[in-house]
Amino acid sequence: METFLSGADRPLYEVKANLFKGLAHPVRVRVLELLLPGDPVSVSELISETGLEASHMSQHLSVLRKHHLVVAERRASQVFYRLAYPEVADLLRVARILLAQVLETTHEQLVSTMRLPALSAPSA
Amino acid sequence: METFLSGADRPLYEVKANLFKGLAHPVRVRVLELLLPGDPVSVSELISETGLEASHMSQHLSVLRKHHLVVAERRASQVFYRLAYPEVADLLRVARILLAQVLETTHEQLVSTMRLPALSAPSA
DNA sequence: TGGCGGTATGATAAATTCATCATTCAATAG
DNA sequence: CTATTGAATGATGAATTTATCATACCGCCA
């Protein structure tokens, strides 16, 4: 089983890039955010929340598992997922902060280059 | 120019996935870590540090620029890069912490499943 | 103009994504 | 016990995206 950690001695930046690769898909980010609150969520719930097909969801869950970002737990006939570490939540939080920063700056730049006041009512 | 922010109103998790996509390559992680200390680094330095070909490096720098993770500044005949926001450094830091956590846990699991003591000398 | 430092382009190779189908596992009906 | 249903996973291949490499290009300064 490819676990992305077998070569624990390989360059750190390669391992780190792999971590980001695991996060680099909208569906997977969405799933992680659904798990953010903390309590386990069943695959059924994830499917109904996202509207994805079961097999499609399972594929992404498998990627998240491989990257050790989530853990699965079987309860009777259903499988529940949760974040593997609280640090995963931290990572998403920091990403959100960075994104907010980027968007804000970009917006300011747009506004200043277009010379369109952002908050006051345009005269024309 | 595709800037990954044009549709600022599109789903947040898609924008966030894009951010991670920008980080999801060993070379780009490596470059960001070289920029981590804070002072601008010239492309020449980045090239000699990594051993990459100029065009190859430039491509990755272009990706990082598109994702607003770095900014370039021209000084005479050379171009210097630095992190676009301190939050980028935060992101890398959190990623490192998470990775350490994952590696530690995985190692413990390996040790316990193989029943090989980690620190004491094996008897056979 | 020539040369150095970077950048953009385009073709090919490789990895991801996505849809479809088959399989496994648990619970329950017959 | 066996068949069946619901829940989830796994496997295959086509389509799309991304990475890689070589090459051509641009801007600055001597």
Side-chain angles (χ1 to χ4, degrees):
Chain A
M1 193 237 289
E2 181 59 81
T3 176
F4 295 114
L5 291 169
S6 22
D9 54 336
R10 68 178 166 169
L12 174 64
Y13 43 84
E14 197 171 329
V15 180
K16 208 180 282 187
N18 251 324
L19 167 65
F20 290 125
K21 225 179 275 185
L23 294 159
H25 192 287
V27 169
R28 297 200 286 272
V29 171
R30 183 104 169 79
V31 167
L32 291 178
E33 289 188 343
L34 288 170
L35 300 181
L36 216 50
D39 19 54
V41 180
S42 71
V43 176
S44 322
E45 284 180 78
L46 292 174
I47 287 175
S48 65
E49 282 289 334
T50 59
L52 261 76
E53 212 177 327
S55 71
H56 196 183
M57 172 61 73
S58 179
Q59 272 179 310
H60 285 291
L61 288 175
S62 153
V63 172
L64 289 173
R65 275 198 316 269
K66 268 214 280 279
H67 288 269
H68 300 269
L69 293 168
V70 302
V71 292
E73 178 190 355
R74 173 144 231 147
R75 294 221 275 258
S77 69
Q78 283 188 305
V79 177
F80 288 76
Y81 279 83
R82 58 181 172 79
L83 298 186
Y85 305 92
E87 284 84 1
V88 177
D90 295 343
L91 199 61
L92 290 170
R93 258 190 293 277
V94 174
R96 172 159 28 226
I97 293 172
L98 170 57
L99 230 40
Q101 197 70 37
V102 173
L103 290 171
E104 185 184 326
T105 308
T106 308
H107 178 251
E108 277 170 15
Q109 286 172 356
L110 270 181
V111 168
S112 71
T113 49
M114 297 174 71
R115 314 207 177 280
L116 282 176
L119 296 173
S120 54
S123 49
Chain B
M1 194 235 292
E2 181 59 84
T3 177
F4 296 113
L5 291 167
S6 20
D9 54 336
R10 69 179 164 171
L12 174 63
Y13 43 85
E14 196 171 328
V15 180
K16 210 180 281 189
N18 252 322
L19 167 65
F20 290 126
K21 227 179 273 185
L23 293 160
H25 192 288
V27 169
R28 298 200 285 272
V29 172
R30 183 105 168 78
V31 167
L32 290 178
E33 289 189 343
L34 287 170
L35 300 182
L36 217 49
D39 19 54
V41 180
S42 71
V43 175
S44 322
E45 283 181 79
L46 293 174
I47 287 174
S48 64
E49 282 289 334
T50 59
L52 263 74
E53 211 178 325
S55 75
H56 196 182
M57 172 60 72
S58 179
Q59 269 177 257
H60 286 291
L61 288 174
S62 150
V63 172
L64 290 173
R65 275 198 316 267
K66 268 214 276 280
H67 288 269
H68 299 271
L69 293 168
V70 301
V71 292
E73 176 192 354
R74 174 145 228 146
R75 294 224 274 258
S77 67
Q78 283 191 306
V79 177
F80 287 76
Y81 279 84
R82 59 181 172 79
L83 298 185
Y85 305 91
E87 284 83 2
V88 177
D90 294 344
L91 199 62
L92 290 170
R93 256 190 296 277
V94 175
R96 175 164 21 231
I97 292 172
L98 170 57
L99 230 40
Q101 198 69 38
V102 174
L103 290 171
E104 185 183 328
T105 309
T106 308
H107 178 249
E108 277 169 16
Q109 286 173 354
L110 270 181
V111 169
S112 73
T113 49
M114 297 174 70
R115 314 210 177 278
L116 282 177
L119 296 174
S120 55
S123 50

